[in-house]
Amino acid sequence: MAKQNTSFKQNILSAICIGAQKYKDVFLDYEYKISSKGFSLKEFYIISASKSNFLHLTGVNTSLSAEQFFDKALNNTLTENDFNFIKKGHTEKMVKGSVRRKVRFLSCLDKLFTLSTLVEENFVKNKIICTFAASENSFTLGFISVPLCHPKTLLKGNELKNPVKIDSIMRRKRGEKEFEDFLSV
């Protein structure tokens, strides 16, 4: 019996669909308040993501809207025909490498909220500029404030240059008013 090989695109599709569920569980169901004595610009940041933030974390290109892409991924109706690896100014090989590095961490997004997580205000990496970023060492997630913070980029490894410790992470279910202790020193 012949062994069935899974294509690169099939692997990416699977990782995106698994990642969409994790993204929903972590970022759409809850909002977070991150505090650190090391912050100098603000006392805390509130993370409040939307469906439209997920697509950029995958690195793929699609003709679907960001919300349609997320909904199809979450419902496991996303197909290989719904995305590609074409980006202006980049070779397909470059885009595939970027996508490979990003999607492997989509299923680990919940690991970002631990006491060992480090944060950095005014995070810059190449052309990426974020209000703040957080890393638990295997990946870095950058956020942009508009005025609440939304996920903007997902990078492999700890890319923080001036990391500080988190003092507390508070969490609330989306739609509730009060934050509750989630993690604190």
Side-chain angles (χ1 to χ4, degrees):
M1 189 155 159
K3 181 181 174 187
Q4 182 134 9
N5 289 330
T6 306
S7 74
F8 174 77
K9 201 165 189 185
Q10 288 168 330
N11 286 333
I12 297 302
L13 174 62
S14 176
I16 288 171
C17 291
I18 291 167
Q21 182 62 55
K22 185 65 74 168
Y23 182 85
K24 178 198 168 295
D25 294 345
V26 174
F27 288 111
L28 295 184
D29 292 348
Y30 294 95
E31 294 177 314
Y32 301 87
K33 182 178 177 181
I34 311 292
S35 301
S36 172
K37 292 180 188 113
F39 287 154
S40 60
L41 302 175
K42 293 179 96 173
E43 184 181 338
F44 60 85
Y45 291 92
I46 295 177
I47 299 170
S48 181
S50 68
K51 290 179 182 183
S52 63
N53 304 127
F54 178 75
L55 173 60
H56 193 69
L57 301 182
T58 70
V60 301
N61 181 47
T62 183
S63 59
L64 299 171
S65 73
E67 290 83 4
Q68 289 172 321
F69 181 87
F70 176 78
D71 287 338
K72 287 185 85 169
L74 184 64
N75 297 324
N76 287 308
T77 58
L78 191 70
T79 70
E80 292 179 47
N81 295 326
D82 288 326
F83 64 94
N84 60 50
F85 309 107
I86 299 168
K87 297 252 175 134
K88 188 176 179 178
H90 300 292
T91 66
E92 186 174 354
K93 185 176 180 180
M94 289 168 58
V95 175
K96 282 183 172 181
S98 176
V99 168
R100 181 184 295 112
R101 286 187 299 275
K102 288 175 178 285
V103 300
R104 71 184 276 202
F105 297 107
L106 291 175
S107 64
C108 305
L109 293 174
D110 60 330
K111 298 194 179 11
L112 190 64
F113 300 115
T114 67
L115 288 178
S116 62
T117 297
L118 298 172
V119 290
E120 176 178 305
E121 289 179 298
N122 287 332
F123 174 77
V124 177
K125 171 73 175 170
N126 300 326
K127 294 180 182 178
I128 302 165
I129 300 170
C130 297
T131 305
F132 89 99
S135 179
E136 51 60 90
N137 260 343
S138 64
F139 68 92
T140 300
L141 190 58
F143 298 88
I144 188 78
S145 180
V146 287
L148 300 177
C149 295
H150 302 289
K152 179 180 179 180
T153 191
L154 178 59
L155 303 168
K156 178 182 177 184
N158 182 348
E159 294 291 342
L160 305 181
K161 294 183 184 43
N162 300 302
V164 296
K165 291 181 178 182
I166 289 176
D167 293 317
S168 75
I169 301 173
M170 299 183 82
R171 181 173 85 164
R172 67 182 173 200
K173 282 196 178 279
R174 188 168 294 276
E176 291 184 0
K177 293 189 188 256
E178 299 299 318
F179 284 97
E180 297 177 355
D181 277 340
F182 184 59
L183 286 174
S184 56
V185 177

